[in-house]
Amino acid sequence: MTATVPAPAARKGMGRRAFDKKAVVPWLFLAPGLLLALVFKFWPMAKGIWLSFFDVRPFLGDKWIGLENYSRVLTDHRFQDAIGHTLILGMGQSVGAILLGFALALLLEGQARSLKFLRTAVFLPAVTATAVVGELWRLMYYPTSDGLLNSGLHFFGLGTVQFLDNPDIALYSTMVMGIWIWAPYNMVIFLAGLAGVDRSLYEAAAMDGVSLWQRLRFVTLPAIRPALMIVLTLATIRGLRVFTEVYVLTGGGPAGSTDVWMTRAYTLGFTRNDIGGASAASVVLLCVTLLLTVLVNHLRTRGEAR
Amino acid sequence: MSAPVIDPVRPAAPDTPAGRITKAQRTIPARFDTALGWNDRPGLAWALRILLCLIALAVFAAPFLTIFSGAFTANPSGSSLSFLPHDSTLLNFRVAGERGIWDYLGNSLVIAGGGLLLQLVVCTLAAYALARHRFRGQALIMMLFMMTLMLPEEVIAIPLSLVLGDVPVVHLDLKGTVWGVILPLGAWGFSVMMLTEFMRDIPAEIEEAARLDGVGELRMLWQIILPLCKPALGVAGVLGFIMIWDQYLLPLIASKDPTDYTVTVALSILRTDPEVGSGVVLAGAVIALIPSLIVYLLLQRSLVTGIAAGATKG
């Protein structure tokens, strides 16, 4: 982000006069946004951090218990499992959606009208509400042999799969849906990156007689590096806070096999009314998200400087 | 489905935002237009591309046909789902209507309309101050709006639900009202960022000329800046609508009882209702799908531009 340094003239104008009309104007325009962000974003964040140190007891008064919520959450085996699931789901989903998105972008790159139609159609999963997608996939994963996907498997002579009811498979079924949702989104970002590639480089590469693979590796990939970094950043943050997909598709089941960090925190906070524990879990997630964002941004700026 | 054909004669339209195609580039043969060097000469590569395109279409678009076919099929018990309806009927929609789906849709439309309006107004005002004014603490305010992007509803859900039940200072209970969903959506960092970037690019001369004519701040924004920002407002509108329509956790925690749900959240009620089949769930899904589908098809160009702009600007 470019930080705007106040111009000397403006600074002189502001001076020390408390009721300078000019200095008040921007704050009037900013007020609604800042107020809403303060009340509905930053205040809840602060409150969450505050509550995470308390044993929250309605009507009895909250009791300060220090880091006990944190140690309880971090040693809870269901939360430990949830970390694993979040990582598997987040990484699998991100990598899958990036690879598939890139493949789609390579496939659907071009100016023809029919390609535009195809891109419009392929992008549908990304504009559809996650809850709708979840219901759709629940039905496609219907576990009997005449479910949509199972009848497809049957057609190829394969047996019935309990996509969402088998604890060994459910997480991967969720992952497939995540890839399906995010691959088209990544495709659009990659397409924008591909459009920026200097075409004369392709021509030059062709004259040098390089193979298609080398062309992709040495011309296309470096050119779309910025797009790739954006996609990676978005995917990382998205992967950590994954909630709706899992909640709608499996609700964390069967037997907790698809429980991720946020579904676990949700259950703790809203079903079991353990506000303190749920707040601690959220704060952990918040810290990890911030840390990762800073890290990825750091890597990105370092990569650009090189 | 029409087969994908690359037309080398048609001049390349600069519809992709990042790459305006110059005249000189247009003369380059089609095989250098794409990374893979696709061309339209019938051959193995051409056939392969058509095949892959058809697979992509089947994987990403065809499932939507099952929503529609299932919704219009008498009783598609989850098992007899197919891409085309066997016997069309409106029964599912009638049953879904009896379960209150139209009320849920009403909630959704009020929230989407009100939330989007609030979001556009709030973000435009903030962006105007950030882009066209210089003041102390500007970088800090910019960072605050950036941070709202890193504080998604999921992460602050539990304390947010407490705040919605008792808003600080004014002590209002927003739960069970549409305000509980609309107000938290007001300040959206993405729109603020994008509109700020866009407004910065408006030449200062235009503003100075208007100032000489004695135009005040509000008129400046409304009559000078906003008309020049129409493309950016379009992007903010489409992305904002899709973001609001996609909300799940927020309507869930802001509700007092299930009648406050939005249509997307209410699908789970239909699903867990033992008396209705999956046809009714799919009818609900169709109803939840149509508004975002309409917005997308009408304004897809600005949507794609917006995602791409967000990606290249970083």
Side-chain angles (χ1 to χ4, degrees):
Chain A
M1 224 61 253
T2 43
T4 316
V5 183
R11 200 180 282 160
K12 215 185 292 162
M14 281 183 202
R16 283 274 154 218
R17 274 153 59 206
F19 289 100
D20 194 325
K21 201 175 138 208
K22 257 205 161 132
V24 175
V25 167
W27 295 102
L28 287 179
F29 281 88
L30 286 168
L34 285 178
L35 189 71
L36 288 178
L38 192 72
V39 175
F40 297 105
K41 293 274 183 189
F42 297 116
W43 178 252
M45 182 185 75
K47 196 174 172 112
I49 296 173
W50 178 249
L51 288 176
S52 68
F53 298 111
F54 283 87
D55 181 11
V56 181
R57 301 174 303 179
F59 311 116
L60 288 170
D62 302 346
K63 201 174 86 193
W64 174 272
I65 51 167
L67 292 173
E68 206 177 288
N69 283 325
Y70 288 92
S71 61
R72 190 160 48 87
V73 163
L74 289 171
T75 52
D76 178 8
H77 75 96
R78 296 202 66 170
F79 261 105
Q80 286 168 351
D81 288 350
I83 297 179
H85 298 152
T86 311
L87 289 179
I88 295 174
L89 190 62
M91 292 209 299
Q93 202 166 287
S94 304
V95 172
I98 287 173
L99 290 179
L100 192 57
F102 188 49
L104 280 174
L106 288 177
L107 177 68
L108 299 180
E109 190 192 3
Q111 299 293 340
R113 198 174 278 273
S114 50
L115 285 170
K116 276 179 206 158
F117 164 77
L118 274 169
R119 287 196 290 258
T120 305
V122 166
F123 194 65
L124 276 174
V127 285
T128 310
T130 316
V132 177
V133 169
E135 297 301 337
L136 170 63
W137 277 78
R138 280 178 71 91
L139 290 169
M140 295 210 303
Y141 279 146
Y142 207 75
T144 63
S145 62
D146 41 6
L148 194 67
L149 284 178
N150 270 323
S151 60
L153 289 179
H154 193 70
F155 181 79
F156 291 108
L158 296 162
T160 312
V161 178
Q162 308 272 319
F163 292 103
L164 298 174
D165 301 323
N166 184 340
D168 296 331
I169 301 176
L171 189 64
Y172 299 97
S173 304
T174 316
M175 195 188 288
V176 169
M177 185 181 90
I179 295 174
W180 186 80
I181 295 175
W182 293 110
Y185 193 88
N186 293 342
M187 170 191 82
V188 170
I189 298 180
F190 281 128
L191 276 171
L194 287 175
V197 178
D198 188 352
R199 307 287 161 203
S200 58
L201 288 178
Y202 288 156
E203 199 179 13
M207 279 174 182
D208 290 345
V210 301
S211 71
L212 186 64
W213 169 249
Q214 285 170 322
R215 197 167 98 170
L216 274 181
R217 170 75 185 75
F218 296 109
V219 180
T220 311
L221 265 187
I224 62 157
R225 216 187 115 99
L228 189 64
M229 291 316 279
I230 296 283
V231 168
L232 264 178
T233 317
L234 289 175
T236 316
I237 297 165
R238 219 156 47 199
L240 283 177
R241 63 181 174 96
V242 55
F243 173 80
T244 315
E245 287 103 309
V246 177
Y247 190 76
V248 174
L249 198 58
T250 63
S257 63
T258 58
D259 234 349
V260 288
W261 193 263
M262 262 322 295
T263 53
R264 205 60 224 132
Y266 181 88
T267 315
L268 204 60
F270 291 106
T271 318
R272 300 230 222 108
N273 258 323
D274 180 357
I275 305 284
S279 296
S282 304
V283 172
V284 170
L285 182 63
L286 179 68
C287 291
V288 177
T289 310
L290 288 179
L291 208 69
L292 265 176
T293 317
V294 171
L295 190 75
V296 173
N297 261 319
H298 176 72
L299 289 177
R300 192 158 89 200
T301 42
R302 224 187 48 182
E304 272 164 15
R306 232 188 299 142
Chain B
M1 304 303 152
S2 55
V5 183
I6 301 173
D7 186 353
V9 187
R10 222 170 72 82
D15 70 331
T16 35
R20 261 184 197 265
I21 287 134
T22 62
K23 255 200 185 119
Q25 280 170 316
R26 277 183 205 167
T27 55
I28 295 171
R31 62 187 276 243
F32 297 119
D33 272 358
T34 61
L36 290 185
W38 297 109
N39 60 48
D40 67 333
R41 268 176 314 195
L44 199 61
W46 185 66
L48 181 69
R49 191 181 201 195
I50 293 177
L51 181 70
L52 288 174
C53 283
L54 286 176
I55 292 175
L57 206 59
V59 169
F60 289 97
F64 288 91
L65 291 180
T66 64
I67 300 187
F68 283 94
S69 76
F72 290 103
T73 304
N75 193 17
S77 69
S79 45
S80 53
L81 276 184
S82 72
F83 291 115
L84 295 166
H86 329 281
D87 43 6
S88 40
T89 168
L90 285 175
L91 185 74
N92 293 326
F93 287 89
R94 212 157 55 225
V95 176
E98 283 161 15
R99 314 274 153 173
I101 197 81
W102 303 114
D103 295 334
Y104 296 126
L105 181 68
N107 288 345
S108 274
L109 290 176
V110 169
I111 284 166
L116 189 60
L117 189 69
L118 180 78
Q119 193 177 73
L120 284 178
V121 170
V122 164
C123 295
T124 306
L125 289 176
Y128 176 69
L130 286 167
R132 310 304 299 188
H133 284 273
R134 285 177 171 170
F135 54 92
R136 277 176 202 189
Q138 196 158 17
L140 181 80
I141 300 294
M142 202 74 183
M143 218 179 76
L144 279 182
F145 280 115
M146 282 267 281
M147 266 192 72
T148 63
L149 282 177
M150 294 177 211
L151 287 174
E153 282 70 41
E154 288 90 351
V155 179
I156 53 168
I158 287 117
L160 181 61
S161 92
L162 299 176
V163 168
L164 288 176
D166 180 19
V167 180
V169 187
V170 285
H171 297 292
L172 275 175
D173 182 4
L174 296 179
K175 283 202 177 183
T177 69
V178 289
W179 295 108
V181 189
I182 288 177
L183 290 177
L185 297 168
W188 191 30
F190 178 85
S191 277
V192 177
M193 297 301 125
M194 196 203 53
L195 289 169
T196 306
E197 292 280 338
F198 199 90
M199 286 186 193
R200 273 210 186 113
D201 292 343
I202 296 172
E205 289 78 21
I206 296 178
E207 197 183 322
E208 279 157 17
R211 288 232 189 273
L212 286 179
D213 289 341
V215 171
E217 292 289 341
L218 272 178
R219 253 187 76 200
M220 174 77 76
L221 173 60
W222 184 250
Q223 289 186 335
I224 314 284
I225 305 286
L226 273 193
L228 292 169
C229 286
K230 268 187 196 149
L233 281 175
V235 173
V238 189
L239 284 175
F241 180 87
I242 285 166
M243 171 263 204
I244 294 173
W245 202 263
D246 194 25
Q247 288 294 323
Y248 192 85
L249 193 49
L250 187 58
L252 198 63
I253 62 173
S255 60
K256 254 201 177 110
D257 64 289
T259 55
D260 304 325
Y261 284 176
T262 55
V263 69
T264 45
V265 181
L267 288 180
S268 62
I269 299 180
L270 287 182
R271 185 218 309 150
T272 48
D273 191 333
E275 286 168 37
V276 304
S278 40
V280 178
V281 181
L282 288 172
V286 165
I287 293 167
L289 181 64
I290 293 227
S292 42
L293 210 58
I294 292 174
V295 169
Y296 170 52
L297 292 180
L298 284 181
L299 299 162
Q300 48 154 318
R301 205 190 173 107
S302 46
L303 175 76
V304 169
T305 321
I307 295 172
T312 43
K313 281 256 168 66

